Amino acid sequence: MTRAQATAELARLSALLARANTAYHTDDAPEISDAEYDRLRQRNALIEARFPDLKRPDSPTEQVGAEVAEGFAKVAHSVRMLSLGNAFQTEDVTAFDTGIRRYLGLSASDPLAYTAEPKIDGVSLSLRYEAGHLVQAATRGDGTVGENVTVNARTIGDIPAVLTDAPAVLEVRGEVYMSHADFAALNRRQGASGGKQFANPRNAAAGSLRQLDAEITRARPLRFFAYAWGDVSAPLADSQLAAIARLNTLGFATNPLTVLCEGPDEMLEQYRGIEEQRATLGYDIDGVVYKINDLALQARLGFRSTTPRWAIAHKFPAELAWTRLQGIDIQVGRTGALSPVARLAPVTVGGVVVSNATLHNEDYIAGRDAKGGEIRGGKDIRIGDWVQVYRAGDVIPKIADVDLDKRPENTHPFAFPQKCPECGSDAIREEGDAVRRCTGGVICPAQAVEKLKHFVSRAAFDIDGLGARQVEQFHQEGWIQEPADIFTLRDRYGSGLQQLKNRDGWGEKSASKLFAAIDEKRNIPLGRLIFSLGLRHVGEAASNLLANHYGTWRNFETAMTAATVGEGSEWEDLIAIDGVGTVMATSLVTAFAQETERASIDRLIAHLSIQPARQADTSGSPVAGKIVVFTGTLEKMTRAEAKARAEALGAKVSGSVSARTDLVVAGPGAGSKAKKAADLGIKILDEDGWLALIGAA
Ligand code: IVH
């Protein structure tokens, strides 16, 4: 970037950000997404860092208002607010029924009733009534903690303030939505008063509910359908249908299209019926929800981690729309992957305005997969093209097709960048990899930020008060470049001229809380630490395998440092770990051999006290420390069980036989591994021999 370009770009960014700030603050009607906003701010900061003397007097880095107002108090839900699993096809619905029958031990002919009702496309809300009085209204948030919007909820006509004959505690759950007619009228009013237009009724409902000034909410025509409940001091009824009827009697609007179905055929019939009425309902729905009617069965079925087993959302088919591809942006991820993103002329696809779509990688844009096969009939994607966008369920929009007849003249195949757009380093593709990657490593600001975000993520360091937003901000301001810097924050910004507590959005309390939270994580389990490094192909499970195998950081880093890709005993030992393949091993060894990466790891380690992996007391175990390979069929236990048992006794279970293998347990059908073991003179036992050895026969 030349100085002239930098000057122009800084001016452009400053204008864009100022406009975004106004839209956000005066109207509560953001024009760009938070992510886009952050991206613009970051780009601005990067250019300023490279050309400090070009920094504008009205530089966005100096402005308040970057922080999205955190005006709502958080509330923990007493019963989690879950989402629903999705069905897209008829078979998914029959599979849902079959799965439930299997779980409950019912035969195909046993009666099993479901309710079917529209899935309202709005915002979910939980209303808590105590002694018949509305005491709290909370949005779903992350399901565990939501936002307290009680004052706003009280302005919604469909939400009763007082209930008679209700259980002492009753949490009513349902959807806040806006009708098509009210939505159109609201947008007309907004237009007349120069306010922002809402993209669709759901956005309008969400934006109207989450107003810091409840008087604005009052002026917005919001409605509410009740369809579920959370905490209740006494059961509402013994069936879903009767419980909904009870909510209706208590004064809640419930959806009139809720019916009882005796199995999949009737459910699908209802689905088609509701789909036919979709256009004339007067509000947005995006599918049909089926729920087991008998509440005792619901209780038996219970929940998976985030969804109930007793309900499913049958979504309407993916929606398609044609629009113009205005540009292709390249985003750089944690491991340097260059991900192309389509910038589209905004188009409504299934009630949602889409302006971005994923383009995966350069082969996808070129219309060829890694093996040379055609994608979209081999049509490439060019800027200026008319493209067909689709969304199915909640997935990221994709491009289904290109209209070659409408391709403008003088277009060129997209030239995928060979340099990283963020740091200018070479971006290269390794053989067999569809992804082009920036080679800048830690000097690439985009990679650095993504790495930091990964470092503080939940399964990694999980530092209270230090999330993706905060690390991005700290990085932007040059406070942290790499994970090690987090641990010197207090030294650098805990006192002195530039103090954290004086920053926007921070105070004495939150700053000292953050420093304490950081200190708390100086003591970290080895597995977490390895995962936190964010090395390519090294996920959470693999990190724990590595931790268990090497036991201590010292062992691990000594081995990684000594290892060479493809040869030597350290390499053999590494790939002998069941669950570690050559791809992951190569990534590990390469990372430790890479000077800048390695130096950054060493700087981090200096601040930490690393808990060794807890290894079971295996003294006296005949197989402690031995490398064991299981092959062939085991008859007395599953492979997973055998492995778990061997590991509990301190053995290392490997997937392949090498000179370092101590013992092979060969069941019937054992093939090349047993042969190799025999050739190498390694001890071979059958299953009974193994059980006898470990004293389990
Ligand atoms: S039942 C335990 N019924 O869809 C599950 N949800 O994708 C309770 N939704 O978070 C939800 N209409 O916000 C249920 N008739 C309906 C619904 C509905 C819309 C929303 C709800 C939920 C999301 C899941």
Side-chain angles (χ1 to χ4, degrees), residues 82-84 117-120 124 140 175 227-228 289 291 303 308 310:
L82 297 162
S83 62
L84 292 168
E117 67 198 68
K119 184 172 186 305
I120 316 298
S124 51
R140 188 168 94 166
E175 204 84 353
Y227 52 64
V289 182
K291 299 171 184 168
F303 301 90
W310 45 266

Side-chain angles (χ1 to χ4, degrees), residues 351-398:
V352 174
V353 177
V354 168
S355 49
N356 301 321
T358 174
L359 290 171
H360 304 287
N361 55 52
E362 58 187 298
D363 290 348
Y364 186 83
I365 298 176
R368 298 261 159 210
D369 66 21
K371 295 190 188 90
E374 290 185 345
I375 303 172
R376 296 175 304 274
K379 296 181 207 171
D380 72 329
I381 297 175
R382 302 185 182 184
I383 297 172
D385 270 343
W386 282 88
V387 293
Q388 190 184 39
V389 186
Y390 73 98
R391 279 177 75 240
D394 305 323
V395 300
I396 314 165
K398 294 186 181 173

Side-chain angles (χ1 to χ4, degrees), residues 17 23 72 83 132 158 177 185 198 301 316 326 336 408 434 440 446 463 467 479 498 517 537:
L17 285 161
F72 294 102
S83 62
D158 282 348
Y177 67 101
F198 289 101
L301 286 158
F316 293 134
Q326 295 176 323
I463 298 169
W479 285 21
Q498 248 197 326
H537 305 298

Side-chain angles (χ1 to χ4, degrees), residues 501-636:
K501 67 172 186 166
N502 299 334
R503 301 295 309 203
D504 223 34
W506 294 89
E508 177 94 48
K509 241 197 183 143
S510 55
S512 64
K513 248 170 105 175
L514 176 66
F515 295 140
I518 292 173
D519 284 345
E520 202 180 301
K521 294 294 161 77
R522 286 179 199 267
N523 193 312
I524 194 87
L526 179 60
R528 254 181 201 266
L529 170 66
I530 297 175
F531 175 64
S532 306
L533 300 178
L535 306 177
R536 222 170 119 201
H537 305 298
V538 186
E540 203 181 338
S543 301
N544 287 323
L545 288 176
L546 291 164
N548 289 336
H549 182 84
Y550 291 101
T552 63
W553 170 259
R554 210 183 141 68
N555 285 347
F556 173 64
E557 72 87 4
T558 313
M560 293 308 106
T561 312
T564 328
V565 172
E567 58 186 37
S569 68
E570 285 82 9
W571 172 261
E572 292 295 327
D573 186 41
L574 177 58
I575 59 162
I577 302 172
D578 206 9
V580 176
T582 51
V583 174
M584 193 198 306
T586 306
S587 163
L588 275 160
V589 173
T590 320
F592 276 80
Q594 225 256 324
E595 241 170 80
T596 43
E597 175 102 46
R598 178 57 199 264
S600 161
I601 294 176
D602 289 345
R603 282 192 291 272
L604 167 69
I605 300 305
H607 298 289
L608 304 175
S609 134
I610 302 157
Q611 301 161 22
R614 219 178 293 136
Q615 279 163 329
D617 177 14
T618 52
S619 51
S621 156
V623 293
K626 298 264 192 302
I627 298 178
V628 181
V629 174
F630 290 97
T631 178
T633 317
L634 298 181
E635 286 162 338
K636 302 202 166 132

